[in-house]
Structure formats: structure tokens, C-alpha cells
Amino acid sequence: MPRDNMASLIQKIARQARTTFKALPPADAGSFQANLAKLSKLLEKIQAEDLNLGPRRNGGPPPPQLGAHQGPPVTYMHICETDSFSMGVFLLQSGSCIPLHDHPGMHGLLKVLYGQVAIKCFDKEEVEEEEEDEDENEEAAAGSGADVQGVQFNPPLLQCQRAALRKSLRRSSDVLSEASDPCLLTPVQGNMHQIEARDGPAAFLDILAPPYDPDEGRDCHYFKMLQVSGNAGDDSPESPQQQPSQPIWLLEVPQPADFWCGGEPYPGPKVSPD
């Protein structure tokens, strides 16, 4: 049961999220940052028991046809959604992973409720429109397996894959628990991330602003990190994890076949952001 003095905390979070995201930067950036700080402070206080949640044990060995997990590896509990933000809880089975994905034009906050998650965050590269056009022309002119801005991939990319290539920088790589501060993302900074449950099941509260909406150009895209050769003539690929200060190349891919997300009703206090 939620603690008596915290019973309305999730409601306060929803209302503060509504206030924070009703006008996104650059409109009144100072006010936005102040409200974002208030929202982050509220999230620091939230606990699993405030939402009537508790750690779950993974089920016994599943039938072979279900693979490594019994049921979906990830489950989503929808709490509320408006035109400006959405809020819900993700439940991850032990060892399950939400693959590397992006949040186009979106802000977000993630707060672990129980368990531990290993999260890798990547920045989106900011490219001027003219430079982007030039890069696209250069990539179109390059042959299969050729250098892209001096980078060789191992294995080489196919020509048809070049349009799905993205350049990024590692922003952070950390293991978060319920004692950790909220993890923030912006339309550029930390906008792409991968989340994996460590040493048992995990859950986190997730706020996205504005919500995903393919009709508005905010669809979810999945990526994989590419191996690159460090020097010309060097056939040994260098892992992006070993060079966090170097640009990282990502390839957009379909949703991985071993990842899917189920749904369950939200069991916590009623929330009305309006």
C-alpha cells in the first residue's frame, strides 16, 4: 500500500509534468528549466510502493517454444497521457533488454523504482541542414564498403544501408537503482538509449514529452552499434565501448525479433493530470 503521506505523489508528478511540458524550449527556456528541476525533485522521492508495485520473481523455466522468458520480456503499465506528455511504468524481467532506440524531438525522464538497470545513453549529432545535404551526397556517391568520412566499417556496409547510418557520441553508461537520481534526455542529449535489467527484475517510471506519435514524426527507431577499424589497414575492429570519446556509428535496424512489450493495468493511485 502507498504510504499515507505519499499517496498523492504520483498525482503531483503528473501535474508538474503537465506544467513543465506545456511549452517546450526555446519558448521561455528559463521557466522550462526551473519546472524541469521541480519535476526531477519529485521523481527523486517516488518509490515502487507508492504505485502499489513490488519486485517480481521471474517464472520457472519456460517451454522451449517461448525462448528464454516466460511471457513478454518487457511489460508496460500506462498511467496517463495528454497532448504534451505520457507517463507509465516499464517492468523488465531479469536479463531482459529494451534495445537501443531513439525519441525524436522528445524530452524524457526515467526513474528506477526497484532493481538495477544498465543504461547506455547516446547523443544525437547536431548537423546544419546544408552540411547534412552535403554528407548525404557524399554517402550516395560512395561505393559499398568505402570510407564514410574516413571511417571503415567491419564488416563493410552495403550501399543500401548507408541511408540508415547515424553518427553519435556516447553520453553516459551507468547502472541505476532506486537510489539513483532520475535519468534525463533531451531531443539531442542522451536521446538514444539501451536499458537492460541487471541481477534480477527491474522497473522504472517513464515520462516522455511529447508522446510518441508517428503521424507527427515521432516514431520509435531501433539501432545497432557498428564495429569500426581504427586505422587504414588495421583489420582488427575496435569496439565503440572501448572508445567513449570517439564518434560512434549506428545503423537503423528493424525492431529486434527477440524484443516485444506486453501490457498490464496500472495498479496505483488514480492520476488525473488536468
Side-chain angles (χ1 to χ4, degrees):
M1 293 294 293
R3 294 167 290 167
D4 290 342
N5 64 334
M6 299 292 283
S8 64
L9 180 53
I10 190 64
Q11 175 68 52
K12 292 178 182 178
I13 289 173
R15 286 180 176 167
Q16 182 60 44
R18 179 195 62 185
T19 300
T20 302
F21 298 118
K22 64 183 179 182
L24 296 174
D28 199 0
S31 177
F32 172 79
Q33 292 299 329
N35 280 314
L36 184 62
K38 292 179 182 178
L39 178 57
S40 184
K41 282 294 184 184
L42 287 173
L43 284 172
E44 290 175 9
K45 302 175 183 178
I46 196 72
Q47 297 182 12
E49 64 186 60
D50 298 316
L51 307 181
N52 291 329
L53 295 174
R56 299 180 174 185
R57 294 181 179 272
N58 281 9
Q65 65 269 23
L66 291 181
H69 295 288
Q70 177 75 50
V74 178
T75 299
Y76 183 70
M77 293 179 171
H78 174 77
I79 297 178
C80 66
E81 180 170 327
T82 71
D83 290 340
S84 60
F85 79 97
S86 63
M87 182 165 66
V89 174
F90 281 95
L91 310 176
L92 284 71
Q93 291 201 42
S94 179
S96 64
C97 180
I98 300 177
L100 182 61
H101 62 283
D102 67 352
H103 310 79
M106 299 154 71
H107 294 259
L109 299 97
L110 178 160
K111 179 65 176 73
V112 176
L113 298 171
Y114 63 74
Q116 293 185 330
V117 298
I119 181 168
K120 298 176 182 178
C121 300
F122 302 84
D123 288 351
K124 282 195 170 182
E125 185 185 35
E126 294 182 284
V127 181
E128 295 294 334
E129 186 173 347
E130 291 184 4
E131 294 178 355
E132 188 173 351
D133 291 340
E134 291 176 1
D135 291 343
E136 290 177 354
N137 292 336
E138 290 176 4
E139 291 178 13
S144 177
D147 286 352
V148 177
Q149 298 179 351
V151 179
Q152 281 192 335
F153 299 99
N154 191 351
L157 288 182
L158 299 175
Q159 180 64 34
C160 61
Q161 293 177 306
R162 293 185 176 277
L165 192 63
R166 303 290 185 270
K167 189 177 181 182
S168 177
L169 288 174
R170 167 81 51 95
R171 182 164 185 82
S172 65
S173 181
D174 205 353
V175 176
L176 305 180
S177 71
E178 58 189 281
S180 304
D181 291 339
C183 178
L184 277 64
L185 64 87
T186 77
V188 174
Q189 296 178 342
N191 187 270
M192 297 174 282
H193 61 206
Q194 172 184 299
I195 304 169
E196 180 182 4
R198 285 282 184 91
D199 302 323
F204 61 87
L205 182 65
D206 187 67
I207 299 176
L208 294 176
Y212 280 116
D213 186 345
D215 293 336
E216 296 292 332
R218 297 190 301 274
D219 202 358
C220 182
H221 308 92
Y222 295 91
F223 300 88
K224 71 174 183 179
M225 290 184 289
L226 298 178
Q227 299 286 342
V228 299
S229 299
N231 300 299
D234 182 1
D235 293 331
S236 60
E238 296 176 357
S239 169
Q241 291 91 328
Q242 296 174 342
Q243 294 193 355
S245 62
Q246 299 297 316
I248 294 172
W249 291 90
L250 306 175
L251 183 68
E252 185 177 340
V253 296
Q255 177 176 318
D258 60 353
F259 170 72
W260 75 102
C261 188
E264 286 187 20
Y266 161 67
K270 183 178 179 180
V271 173
S272 177
D274 297 325

